[in-house]
Amino acid sequence: MAGANHSSMTEFVLLGFTDQQKLLFMICLLIYITTLVGNLGMIVLIRTNSQLHVPMYFFLSQLSFLDICYSSSITPKLLSGLLAERNIISFNGCITQFFFFAVFGTTEAILLAVMAYDRYMAICKPLNYLTAVSHGVCIQLVVGSYAVGSLNAFVHTSTLLRLSFCGPNLVNHFYCEIPPLLLLSCSDTWLNKTVMTMCIGFIITASLLAIVVSYACIVLTIWSIPSAEGRHKAFFTCTSHLMTVARFYGSAAFLYFHSFSRGAEDQGKTASIFYTVVIPMLNPFIYSLRNTEVRSALRRATKKLISCVYPHRSRSNQTRVGIACLSGASSRNKADS
């Protein structure tokens, strides 16, 4: 790859963060472990609970999988860099990291729009819901999201490979991203900036438009429900998704539409920590805390796990229940006599 674009650069040095590296390492490691455990737990919970085998939770399991992949494309290299004196990444490794980061990030943006369409069909057209959002349609929507994400990543990677990098090789970021890499190129980067603005702008605009239109129809439908309790219940199923959309697109808009000047790099690094490390951790907690079906399924799974790990406690509880029942029956018999 390095020879394909006539670049003399074989490796980059990711400057990352220079202050409080050990503290930042512990925080990021804890967040990453929580991300893996939370999202894997959500996937297992949805797959093993038959009551959650509906399109909404199928898309949620795909979102959890994307969060794992998205975070894993960035955080392990960030953690190793915080412990190393010089965080070095090869040219090929840098391009590969950016490619997968772009694939998973774009796919998640499209998937959030797909989840808004799912809520629209469930609330606005409930009679056609199971037909319009069947399992086969869900698979097609997820595959289409990955296809768009892969295409977007391929376009940006191709435009990066046409550039020449003659030095210096110091990337003022903790992972390989377009803006800091363009600042190191000795080629004309006008095409890269134009392609990035057009592609990311189109994806964000189209996805947000689909979400806004879906929720506009949802609001109109909810408003026509005569019961206040029914309106609250219908809208409550959408709040978790709306919170996820607000965080994801808000961070994405800030990262990709701030200026390319060197003064904006430090600001972009700080925002990227939230965008790439923190957000993947938050989604499972938001959906589990605000969704009654997920909470009840989690309680049942926890009780089942405890009964498997501590079977003697389960038997003792059953024994106490049985004794209580027998005592109650004996009392009733005495009263009858």
Side-chain angles (χ1 to χ4, degrees), residues 55-119:
M56 171 180 163
Y57 297 108
F58 172 77
F59 292 129
L60 180 55
S61 67
Q62 296 300 318
L63 181 65
S64 295
F65 176 74
L66 276 174
D67 283 336
I68 292 174
C69 297
Y70 183 69
S71 180
S72 298
S73 66
I74 301 296
T75 309
K77 185 59 180 174
L78 169 63
L79 293 173
S80 64
L82 291 172
L83 296 179
E85 294 184 2
R86 298 178 77 238
N87 188 11
I88 299 175
I89 185 171
S90 66
F91 183 88
N92 292 344
C94 185
I95 296 298
T96 302
Q97 184 190 53
F98 167 75
F99 176 81
F100 285 106
F101 164 76
V103 169
F104 298 128
T106 307
T107 303
E108 184 161 342
I110 304 298
L111 185 63
L112 289 174
V114 170
M115 295 174 73
Y117 168 74
D118 170 71
R119 291 298 82 207

Side-chain angles (χ1 to χ4, degrees), residues 3-23:
N5 67 342
H6 308 288
S7 174
S8 60
M9 199 75 63
T10 59
E11 64 182 23
F12 293 106
V13 178
L14 300 174
L15 298 181
F17 300 92
T18 57
D19 297 330
Q20 303 293 332
Q21 288 184 315
K22 292 184 178 180
L23 176 61

Side-chain angles (χ1 to χ4, degrees), residues 98 156 160 163 172-173 177-184 189-198 200 253-268:
F98 167 75
H156 291 301
L160 272 179
L163 299 177
N172 190 15
H173 217 301
E177 177 61 305
I178 291 181
L181 289 176
L182 295 185
L183 293 174
L184 302 181
T189 60
W190 177 85
L191 178 61
N192 297 76
K193 295 177 182 179
T194 303
V195 169
M196 189 189 81
T197 303
M198 291 179 61
I200 301 299
F254 176 82
L255 285 176
Y256 285 99
F257 291 104
H258 74 292
S259 65
F260 286 85
S261 63
R262 294 182 183 273
E265 288 182 353
D266 293 334
Q267 190 179 16

